[in-house]
Amino acid sequence: MPAHPTAQAAVAELTARLGDPDDADNPLGHAAILAADEDAEILTAGERLLDDTGLNAEYVPAALGGRFERLDRLIDVARTVFRRDPTLGAGHGIGSFLAAVNIWSAGTPAQQKAVADLLLANGKLAVTYNELAHGNDLLACETHARRSGDTLLLNGRKEPITNAARAAAYVVFARTDPAPGQRSHSQLLVRPADVPPTTLRTLPRTATVGMRGLPLAGVEFTDCPLGDDAVVGAPGQGLQTALTSFQVTRIALPAVLAGALDTGLRLAVRHLAGRRLYGASALRIPAVRRLLAGAYADLLLSETVTAVAARGAHLTPGESSVHAAGAKYLVTGTLLGAFDDLATAMGAHGYLRAGDTAFFQKLLRDIRAAQVLHASRAACLLTLMPQLPLLATRSWNRDRAAHAGLFRPAETLPPLAWDRLKVTAKGHDHLTPALRDAADGPAGDEVTREAREWTGRLRTLADSCAALAPAELTPLAGTTAYDLAAHYASVRAAAATLGTWQHGRGTTLPDERWWPLALLARLPSSPRHRVTPLPDHLAEPAVEDLIARCTDDRPLGLARGWAPPGGQP
Amino acid sequence: MTETTAEATDDRSAAGVGDWLTRQIADFAEVPADSVAADRPLTEYGIDSVSGLAICARIEDHYDLDIDPTLLWDAPTVEALTDLLRDELAARG
């Protein structure tokens, strides 16, 4: 018997305590959240609730007193917060998680204990990679720590940083060796309470278009003195720690952001159902139905891709760099596209700051601004690009077998092995062989036919990538490799979809063939293609399912089927 | 691709490993093997993160080893790489 509630119980409790979103008197409802957003403040009542329910424990490994054992559970619980208010989700806990993974993966036992205790006491941790001048170009980082006797003196300026002004500790990415190369940076654990106040200064808050309530600011270190015990792991390990930490956070973040689309879909369906245009409900307008169906397929796609990636971090940790970069690139783009479609369906009401649909424009802005939380989509492509030729020669052009466990959300998972997360996949890919498995399905079946199309696309991708010269894979070399990397993210999403269709049965997944077909239809079919609207024969069953689930207040997502060992989905 | 890279060698002595590695670097850098100095950083021969991955894969395939993709981060010269590989091979027996 687990000492803590199951994911389902935790989600149910949190949902109940968040209360009715439409109740104007609910301090955690949409009206209160909108008021906080107008004031550019984080929802204080929401933070209090999350503190009361001990949400931070979801981000702390079980071995250190928390409840984090499985990435899928963490996603399920955190997504519940993002479904209500993405700004609250970002500002309360997930920001701390983005920082803490560095400590879980590389910190000393003392650092791990200190950070676990800090989080379990409802403290916040801030991760500071960003410098305005260098974005995701980590090696260009100017913040540095130089040795002076027994002390490291930290100097530099990091911004924009979530929770910069109220974090109990920072994980600072800094240069610790002037030599070139990948062993010249370290992460440093800095507690403002432990350093002279004049050496650590938080800068004025940064305003944003969306996630307006998120307390973003800069932090500046001036000869900030640190002991050697501040270095996370071994000196010079910083880049490796960062890259492996991203493999967990680049899965978790897009997965929880999908919660915003769940709410956006419900708002759109409710609004359009109550709206009469041209003598009928707006929900009967074919063009509106197609937009809603596409956005719904996008939600299912986002949840399927991130569910598979989350299992991948546990089951094929050596490949987590491509699981994470592929999922983050694809899902963040999918969510943006889905919100565009919903906004088109909503028309002017998608942008009104008052009235019944006001919450939609907040979600629309929040999802766009989510970029401030984490690595850019281009950075994800840059993770995939150098790996493409080796993936082609070592996996795509060979008869590899898929890891079927990736596609079985109801099955148990081994613990996350931080030391088995590697900075690259070394050409190994146990996901895309699922395409070939699905292509071997019954002839004449539409899913089989689609699987054969995607198998062909993987073959074409392999030919293009095997022919790439190293010089074509650098950030400045041109757009070809970017396009191929983006297409690889689509091919992976197709494999996740088809694998889940084949192996994910017996869970809460719907057993209807429109869903794999609709998800595949939302994926760009070649490197330079864009997302297209769903054809009517897929859009109609999708939109009917969406409307029925919204009407009955049932979950919209796919990735809810996992059960704890011995439990029920 | 030069002829030397395809040449099979089972010489796992320090000199054998060093020679083989030098030929790989020369192959990627498209320079003669005798112009690759064992103590110079591989980056001087144009080895970047992309060719570094390919070199790691070649090492794995040639010696049937499972190496960490950060190998070249820790061993940025032929000399250092030879030492690390010798240790790996010795550890495997």
Side-chain angles (χ1 to χ4, degrees):
Chain A
M1 195 66 193
H4 47 74
T6 63
Q8 288 74 19
V11 167
E13 193 207 331
L14 197 50
T15 306
R17 293 191 61 174
L18 285 166
D20 179 1
D22 297 318
D23 179 354
D25 295 326
N26 179 1
L28 308 164
H30 286 177
I33 297 168
L34 277 171
D37 181 69
E38 289 287 334
D39 293 342
E41 294 297 338
I42 199 148
L43 188 71
T44 317
E47 293 214 299
R48 216 175 298 127
L49 171 77
L50 299 180
D51 283 349
D52 282 353
T53 56
L55 181 77
N56 271 1
E58 298 292 339
Y59 304 119
V60 175
L64 293 166
R67 296 194 285 268
F68 176 44
E69 287 175 303
R70 290 174 56 154
L71 202 46
D72 52 1
R73 175 200 169 98
L74 181 150
I75 288 167
D76 279 349
V77 178
R79 190 187 272 149
T80 308
V81 183
F82 276 76
R83 203 176 284 132
R84 178 57 55 91
D85 178 8
T87 308
L88 175 63
H92 185 276
I94 207 86
S96 294
F97 180 65
L98 302 184
V101 284
N102 293 285
I103 309 297
W104 309 152
S105 76
T108 62
Q111 289 166 341
Q112 295 190 343
K113 167 111 180 35
V115 168
D117 291 350
L118 180 161
L119 290 178
L120 294 173
N122 289 329
K124 289 183 173 61
L125 197 65
V127 70
T128 75
Y129 290 114
N130 273 31
E131 296 178 10
L132 280 179
H134 304 294
N136 295 297
D137 186 359
L138 287 186
L139 288 182
C141 138
E142 291 177 52
T143 300
H144 62 276
R146 68 182 159 75
R147 181 160 292 283
S148 171
D150 287 342
T151 330
L152 289 166
L153 292 177
L154 178 63
N155 281 281
R157 179 179 169 127
K158 297 283 193 178
E159 61 189 318
I161 304 300
T162 301
N163 291 328
R166 58 178 190 164
Y170 304 94
V171 177
V172 183
F173 186 81
R175 178 172 282 281
T176 43
D177 186 335
Q182 292 97 332
R183 291 298 192 202
S184 297
H185 299 80
S186 304
Q187 314 262 25
L188 304 165
L189 181 62
V190 182
R191 271 165 289 210
D194 294 350
V195 299
T198 51
T199 65
L200 191 161
R201 186 168 74 99
T202 52
L203 304 168
R205 187 154 159 213
T206 311
T208 45
V209 171
M211 297 220 169
R212 295 184 70 228
L214 191 66
L216 283 173
V219 56
E220 189 170 45
F221 305 96
T222 310
D223 282 337
C224 182
L226 303 169
D228 283 321
D229 59 353
V231 178
V232 177
Q237 200 188 336
L239 183 66
Q240 184 174 358
T241 304
L243 294 180
T244 47
S245 296
F246 291 162
Q247 294 172 16
V248 174
T249 58
R250 284 178 176 179
I251 295 168
L253 202 66
V256 296
L257 282 173
L261 180 54
D262 184 315
T263 301
L265 279 162
R266 289 177 195 275
L267 290 170
V269 166
R270 187 175 65 184
H271 169 68
L272 293 162
R275 197 159 160 73
R276 287 188 72 78
L277 294 170
Y278 314 108
S281 158
L283 276 187
R284 288 185 54 198
I285 301 173
V288 167
R289 294 173 75 81
R290 191 168 69 177
L291 287 165
L292 289 176
Y296 181 38
D298 288 344
L299 175 70
L300 303 185
L301 180 65
S302 299
E303 295 204 350
T304 303
V305 167
T306 51
V308 168
R311 293 186 67 78
H314 291 263
L315 294 170
T316 52
E319 296 168 29
S320 200
S321 68
V322 288
H323 280 302
K328 172 118 200 251
Y329 176 79
L330 186 109
V331 170
T332 51
T334 299
L335 294 175
L336 291 173
F339 264 97
D340 278 347
D341 280 358
L342 288 182
T344 305
M346 304 270 287
H349 288 270
Y351 300 91
L352 300 183
R353 279 163 63 179
D356 286 349
T357 59
F359 203 71
F360 183 85
Q361 55 82 30
K362 173 185 143 59
L363 290 176
L364 189 61
R365 286 183 288 105
D366 279 2
I367 204 80
R368 296 216 164 277
Q371 178 70 69
V372 301
L373 295 176
H374 209 226
S376 71
R377 302 184 65 224
C380 296
L381 295 183
L382 286 170
T383 299
L384 297 175
M385 279 157 56
Q387 306 198 45
L388 295 173
L390 211 49
L391 284 161
T393 53
R394 278 191 157 180
S395 287
W396 307 337
N397 283 335
R398 293 194 193 175
D399 233 7
R400 296 267 182 246
H403 193 313
L406 295 172
F407 314 114
R408 292 176 173 145
E411 284 188 2
T412 186
L413 285 171
L416 196 60
W418 297 99
D419 60 335
R420 290 179 60 209
L421 301 172
K422 300 295 173 193
V423 298
T424 74
K426 297 199 298 181
H428 300 301
D429 177 353
H430 287 86
L431 170 62
T432 56
L435 296 174
R436 207 186 38 236
D437 295 345
D440 287 338
D445 181 292
E446 202 181 345
V447 177
T448 308
R449 214 159 42 233
E450 274 302 312
R452 288 180 184 168
E453 291 283 337
W454 280 98
T455 308
R457 286 172 195 142
L458 176 63
R459 215 174 297 124
T460 308
L461 182 70
D463 291 344
S464 307
C465 292
L468 283 170
E472 292 176 272
L473 293 162
T474 59
L476 302 177
T479 55
T480 304
Y482 283 91
D483 287 345
L484 292 172
H487 190 49
Y488 177 44
S490 295
V491 172
R492 290 182 65 82
T497 301
L498 287 163
T500 304
W501 170 246
Q502 273 213 309
H503 299 284
R505 308 295 177 83
T507 66
T508 59
L509 302 178
D511 194 13
E512 296 164 75
R513 64 189 44 240
W514 64 261
W515 80 256
L517 293 169
L519 271 55
L520 295 174
R522 289 298 272 178
L523 292 168
S525 58
S526 82
R528 287 189 185 271
H529 271 79
R530 302 188 78 80
V531 176
T532 49
L534 288 183
D536 288 346
H537 78 286
L538 299 175
E540 277 307 310
V543 80
E544 284 299 328
D545 187 57
L546 169 68
I547 293 168
R549 284 176 187 243
C550 288
T551 309
D552 306 344
D553 203 21
R554 278 184 286 141
L556 301 184
L558 276 188
R560 287 158 211 290
W562 82 271
Q568 293 298 312
Chain B
M1 191 123 325
T2 61
E3 206 177 295
T4 47
T5 54
E7 175 193 312
T9 168
D10 216 25
D11 187 352
R12 301 189 168 201
S13 66
V17 172
D19 281 353
W20 183 83
L21 277 172
T22 303
R23 288 201 302 276
Q24 307 314 308
I25 305 304
D27 184 39
F28 277 95
E30 298 181 334
V31 297
D34 58 11
S35 70
V36 177
D39 59 349
R40 303 299 302 167
L42 299 179
T43 49
E44 286 187 12
Y45 303 103
I47 304 300
D48 59 10
S49 59
V50 182
S51 41
L53 291 184
I55 289 168
C56 285
R58 245 184 225 191
I59 293 170
E60 287 197 332
D61 292 345
H62 186 76
Y63 291 108
D64 192 23
L65 281 176
D66 183 16
I67 59 174
D68 199 284
T70 55
L71 182 73
L72 264 58
W73 296 11
D74 296 312
T77 64
V78 167
E79 209 166 46
L81 205 46
T82 305
D83 286 347
L84 272 184
L85 277 184
R86 286 279 305 142
D87 291 347
E88 286 275 340
L89 290 167
R92 230 184 31 165

